[in-house]
Amino acid sequence: IKNGGVLNFNAQTRTANVEIEINNRAGEYTGDLVFTLQFSNLGSVQAGAQSTATVTIQDNDHPLSFILGTYNVTGTSYFNGPTSTYMTFTKDAKDVTKVWIRNLFCNPGWDIASTALYGVVSTDKTTITIPLGQATEYTHSGASVYLFGCDAEMNVYDAGNIIVNIKDGGNTLEFADLGPALYIDGAGYVNVMLPGIVCTKAGN
């Protein structure tokens, strides 16, 4: 069906398809397209909550697409020593200069959507600046959870920025001067990563 139509079901035909035609504008970023399919006049079909479906067509020409995705991460934790984990970088819904980073704390136990923190990509796309002092949406036992930074001498900062260098066309990300530290009000530090974290894009 296109711009409205009819799907027919009977004892023999229990499934039917809705085809969506996508007009590709290669090299042009126009943003993701989100729309809802609404099924009406269902007759004897008991669709319940499935009478509507929300569809998102992702625009792959996002200007930061070269750094979006999952990275394999190696680094050193002050508490746990050598660490191998991952980080995931996703786009912001409105700001094409901003990325959201999950598992920035390098502790998969804290990888939930509401602990994502943001960074801003430079105009020349060579660095990501992650502001320190950001609080996550998530609170732990009612206490705020913050991003702090740690240098090689184990000095911890609650203001300033973590600078991530973008290398190899986005295949490698390096935390040069500061590592991320997970701080909880009233509880102290949960995980502290030293500088020198290297992120390699998964699949490379």
Side-chain angles (χ1 to χ4, degrees):
I1 64 176
K2 182 178 180 182
N3 298 325
V6 177
L7 297 177
N8 294 308
F9 300 92
N10 54 43
Q12 289 74 41
T13 304
R14 293 178 172 270
T15 61
N17 297 319
V18 176
E19 295 185 2
I20 299 170
E21 182 179 348
I22 299 174
N23 294 321
N24 183 24
R25 298 179 181 178
E28 179 185 355
Y29 181 68
T30 57
D32 294 347
L33 176 63
V34 181
F35 58 93
T36 300
L37 292 173
Q38 175 73 52
F39 300 96
S40 59
N41 299 321
L42 297 175
S44 61
V45 176
Q46 301 298 315
Q50 297 179 349
S51 62
T52 63
T54 300
V55 179
T56 300
I57 300 175
Q58 301 220 15
D59 190 334
N60 292 329
D61 293 311
H62 191 283
L64 301 182
S65 60
F66 71 108
I67 58 169
L68 302 180
T70 299
Y71 286 76
N72 298 316
V73 175
T74 58
T76 303
S77 166
Y78 173 75
F79 297 116
N80 303 314
T83 297
S84 296
T85 182
Y86 61 87
M87 289 184 194
T88 303
F89 293 73
T90 58
K91 63 190 174 186
D92 184 85
K94 297 179 180 178
D95 188 342
V96 296
T97 69
K98 184 184 290 186
V99 290
W100 289 91
I101 310 166
R102 289 180 56 175
N103 201 30
L104 179 58
F105 298 128
C106 296
N107 184 337
W110 288 84
D111 181 17
I112 52 180
S114 54
T115 61
L117 297 166
Y118 76 89
V120 177
V121 179
S122 61
T123 303
D124 61 5
K125 297 181 174 61
T126 59
T127 61
I128 304 171
T129 299
I130 306 171
L132 297 177
Q134 293 184 63
T136 68
E137 293 181 9
Y138 176 78
T139 57
H140 181 69
S141 299
S144 296
V145 178
Y146 294 98
L147 170 66
F148 287 1
C150 178
D151 66 18
E153 286 74 41
M154 291 302 302
N155 299 307
V156 178
Y157 304 86
D158 60 2
N161 301 294
I162 292 175
I163 303 298
V164 180
N165 295 316
I166 302 172
K167 298 186 175 182
D168 306 324
N171 291 318
T172 304
L173 307 177
E174 294 183 354
F175 289 64
D177 299 324
L178 294 175
L182 169 59
Y183 180 82
I184 301 175
D185 263 350
Y189 297 96
V190 176
N191 195 28
V192 177
M193 295 295 296
L194 301 180
I197 295 172
V198 177
C199 308
T200 304
K201 205 160 196 180
N204 293 336

